[in-house]
Amino acid sequence: MHGIIHSSSLHKLSFVVILWGMLLFPLHSVSGLGTAEQTKPEPQAEKQNAVIYVCDIDVSQLPSEQKIAGRRLRNEFLHILGQIQRRKRRSEEILLYRDSLWKEWKARAAKSLTEARNSRDTLFFKGYSENTYKKELIKIEASIRDLENNYAAVQTNPPNIAEIVTLSLHKDMASGNFKNAPSLDGRKKFCTEQGVDFLVVSSLRELYGRWILTYSLYRAVDDTVMYTDTLAFSPEELESILPLFATSLYETLSGEPAGAIQIMAKPENSEIIVNEKMMGKGNTSVIEGPPEVLFVQVTHPAYFPAEFTIERRSNELSTASIALTPMAQYALRLEIQNKENFSLYVNGLYRGNTPSDITLPAGNYVLQIIKNEGETEIQSKLLVLKSKDGLVSLSENDVQSRGKKTVEQARKGFYGAFGRFWLALPAAFLLSGITDTYINAYNLSGNRDLINPATTFYYSSQGAWVVTGIFLIESLFRLGFYVYSASNGASTVIEPKQ
């Protein structure tokens, strides 16, 4: 009796609860309820990669013919950033990333736990049988316990942020798709949408004949400009300023100091070339830049050239000293027969007056002899001197004035005559055609009024052909003179005799 009354009361209570539940709590389905896998705790490690995006350089204030310089600088940015493979984070940056990621983890864990509890609360209104309801409830309760444990673990265990992170350029950089730089307020949103950590923004403008380059490096995690700089330079100095921002970008983005090298060579006037750029003579200044292997060439006309590589390491000054091996030297004497005090120039350098004893390494050299000075100066044509032990004896005839009939004048004379020939030739053809027209018209019609104009055009065409022939002969003459002048002006090869 008591059991029957209890069962009836239970059914009535259930009906009331269901009715109020339908009014106060709208029914909604929970996907995967009772069959979903339990949510696992977030992995306590950050993704080991940071992405860099290079915005298109702003050249809107440059003249149209100079805007190509922006592409040159943008490509240099890509080249520099592409060589930076990793970044070493400082402690304050690690804390920024930890707090940001920890906040995301807490929010995600709390959301998952809340959704699971809501699913448990609405399970009663699914209409399951008593056995099915109990089974599903057990599953959800187990899932909630796991999520509660995960939530507690997230609250007490912050993410482990890596100190060293791999750097890579955004995929748009490889495809050449460069977007314009966003506004200051839109940088954070831009980085979130593109999935990037660092943003390079730059502009190039002109000011009083000089270029002004402004560039900055933005970090998305704390919405901060990490580095900004402005360089002023002339257009001719473009190549020389590239290493300047290479160093600053490397140090800012990698988090490590740049390196430096210095080359010392003997003899002191040896030319030192680093990565195909002239860096000085004898001793270079300290050359800073990102760590890399550099190719060095050291040359001197009297010495065998040398080539080697040197590694520029981070936070180190790498030095290299080299002494070139001298070439074989030849002693020769230059003199002008029965004459003295003629100035000698070898490869443009003054080597004394005749007679003169000079020493030269093996090779060919440009020799020029100059007589007198000032208005009476006479320069010889350029001679090719082969270095060899012995005597070079020249006559005074070898020291001759170049005169006014230069090869350039002969060339211009030939082009002028040839141009006149080509103007006269079509005129002669035209007059001949008109003459033939009158003659044919007279032969067909017999009109004697055509005789006088036909005669006039006939003699005119003959005169035109004579003039054309004269211009052709002049062209051939000037061509021959041009060839003669060019051959006569060619350098003579002289060789010392024992």
Side-chain angles (χ1 to χ4, degrees):
M1 185 71 178
H2 291 288
I4 296 175
I5 295 173
H6 177 74
S7 176
S8 175
S9 301
L10 178 63
H11 285 298
K12 291 179 179 179
L13 178 62
S14 300
F15 176 76
V16 173
V17 170
I18 293 174
L19 181 61
W20 279 101
M22 293 176 65
L23 295 174
L24 299 177
F25 305 100
L27 291 176
H28 62 278
S29 62
V30 180
S31 62
L33 181 62
T35 58
E37 294 184 358
Q38 297 177 357
T39 304
K40 297 181 180 179
E42 293 285 348
Q44 301 293 302
E46 186 213 2
K47 184 181 179 182
Q48 302 290 309
N49 183 48
V51 182
I52 311 168
Y53 195 99
V54 180
C55 296
D56 198 9
I57 186 168
D58 182 10
V59 292
S60 58
Q61 299 185 42
L62 277 182
S64 57
E65 65 273 9
Q66 296 181 356
K67 290 185 177 181
I68 192 173
R71 182 182 299 177
R72 173 72 179 92
L73 287 170
R74 187 188 66 195
N75 292 340
E76 188 64 24
F77 279 126
L78 291 176
H79 174 72
I80 295 170
L81 297 174
Q83 292 181 323
I84 306 175
Q85 302 297 326
R86 68 175 199 167
R87 171 173 175 77
K88 183 178 181 180
R89 289 176 171 147
R90 298 180 179 178
S91 57
E92 57 268 20
E93 183 178 352
I94 293 177
L95 290 177
L96 287 172
Y97 274 99
R98 190 200 69 175
D99 293 342
S100 176
L101 189 59
W102 199 7
K103 183 179 179 180
E104 291 180 10
W105 285 5
K106 289 177 181 179
R108 193 181 303 123
K111 181 180 179 181
S112 299
L113 180 58
T114 301
E115 290 176 349
R117 288 174 174 173
N118 291 336
S119 299
R120 181 189 60 185
D121 296 341
T122 58
L123 181 63
F124 183 81
F125 305 106
K126 286 290 185 179
Y128 293 138
S129 65
E130 184 176 357
N131 290 334
T132 303
Y133 171 77
K134 290 181 178 180
K135 291 179 181 179
E136 295 299 324
L137 182 61
I138 292 173
K139 292 180 181 180
I140 294 180
E141 291 287 357
S143 175
I144 290 175
R145 286 193 296 271
D146 291 339
L147 291 174
E148 288 175 343
N149 293 334
N150 177 64
Y151 180 75
V154 169
Q155 292 291 330
T156 56
N157 298 314
N160 182 22
I161 304 299
E163 182 182 14
I164 305 299
V165 62
T166 303
L167 296 176
S168 61
L169 292 172
H170 192 270
K171 60 182 181 180
D172 285 355
M173 307 299 96
S175 60
N177 183 20
F178 299 92
K179 294 181 172 61
N180 294 328
S183 62
L184 293 176
D185 297 334
R187 290 182 178 181
K188 181 75 172 181
K189 180 181 179 182
F190 179 88
C191 291
T192 302
E193 293 175 349
Q194 298 297 325
V196 299
D197 301 273
F198 301 99
L199 190 67
V200 178
V201 179
S202 57
S203 65
L204 185 65
R205 59 189 177 89
E206 185 182 23
L207 181 65
Y208 300 115
R210 296 177 67 82
W211 284 349
I212 308 297
L213 171 65
T214 302
Y215 63 99
S216 61
L217 184 63
Y218 169 83
R219 183 172 58 194
V221 65
D222 55 345
D223 194 18
T224 301
V225 176
M226 300 172 57
Y227 181 85
T228 184
D229 195 8
T230 300
L231 298 175
F233 56 94
S234 63
E236 295 77 15
E237 298 172 337
L238 175 61
E239 295 297 326
S240 63
I241 63 99
L242 296 181
L244 298 180
F245 60 78
T247 301
S248 59
L249 280 177
Y250 173 80
E251 291 183 338
T252 305
L253 196 54
S254 70
E256 298 179 343
I261 64 167
Q262 187 175 23
I263 312 296
M264 293 158 283
K266 291 184 178 181
E268 294 182 354
N269 57 345
S270 301
E271 293 185 351
I272 302 175
I273 302 172
V274 180
N275 279 4
E276 300 183 353
K277 293 182 180 179
M278 178 68 178
M279 302 304 296
K281 293 186 177 182
N283 297 336
T284 67
S285 58
V286 175
I287 307 172
E288 296 182 349
E292 61 177 324
V293 177
L294 303 171
F295 180 65
V296 181
Q297 298 170 288
V298 184
T299 61
H300 189 282
Y303 292 77
F304 290 103
E307 298 178 351
F308 61 93
T309 59
I310 182 172
E311 184 178 1
R312 184 163 53 196
R313 301 183 181 89
S314 176
N315 203 26
E316 292 185 17
L317 173 60
S318 303
T319 60
S321 301
I322 186 171
L324 298 181
T325 303
M327 297 180 179
Q329 301 288 317
Y330 294 98
L332 51 96
R333 182 177 180 83
L334 288 93
E335 64 178 29
I336 306 297
Q337 298 171 4
N338 303 322
K339 297 290 182 181
E340 295 182 357
N341 293 329
F342 281 64
S343 299
L344 298 176
Y345 288 83
V346 179
N347 280 359
L349 299 177
Y350 175 69
R351 300 302 294 265
N353 294 337
T354 59
S356 177
D357 296 315
I358 61 176
T359 302
L360 294 173
N364 296 330
Y365 299 86
V366 177
L367 172 66
Q368 189 175 33
I369 303 170
I370 298 179
K371 179 181 179 181
N372 302 329
E373 294 181 355
E375 296 181 357
T376 60
E377 178 182 278
I378 300 177
Q379 297 181 358
S380 72
K381 64 181 181 181
L382 300 181
L383 305 172
V384 177
L385 172 64
K386 287 188 174 183
S387 59
K388 182 179 179 182
D389 292 336
L391 172 67
V392 177
S393 181
L394 302 174
S395 65
E396 191 176 3
N397 292 332
D398 293 320
V399 185
Q400 55 184 351
S401 173
R402 297 183 181 181
K404 298 182 180 180
K405 295 295 184 179
T406 61
V407 177
E408 179 69 16
Q409 290 174 323
R411 181 181 65 83
K412 290 182 178 179
F414 165 67
Y415 286 162
F418 198 60
R420 289 189 290 273
F421 166 73
W422 277 106
L423 290 175
L425 184 62
F429 273 114
L430 177 62
L431 293 175
S432 296
I434 295 175
T435 301
D436 292 339
T437 301
Y438 273 104
I439 293 175
N440 292 333
Y442 172 76
N443 292 333
L444 291 175
S445 64
N447 187 354
R448 300 185 62 85
D449 293 337
L450 299 175
I451 295 178
N452 289 335
T455 303
T456 301
F457 277 105
Y458 172 78
Y459 287 111
S460 298
S461 65
Q462 295 301 312
W465 282 111
V466 171
V467 173
T468 302
I470 293 174
F471 287 156
L472 176 61
I473 294 173
E474 181 190 9
S475 300
L476 295 175
F477 171 77
R478 291 189 178 276
L479 176 62
F481 183 72
Y482 175 33
V483 174
Y484 170 78
S485 299
S487 302
N488 189 47
S491 299
T492 302
V493 178
I494 57 177
E495 186 174 352
K497 297 180 179 179
Q498 298 291 339

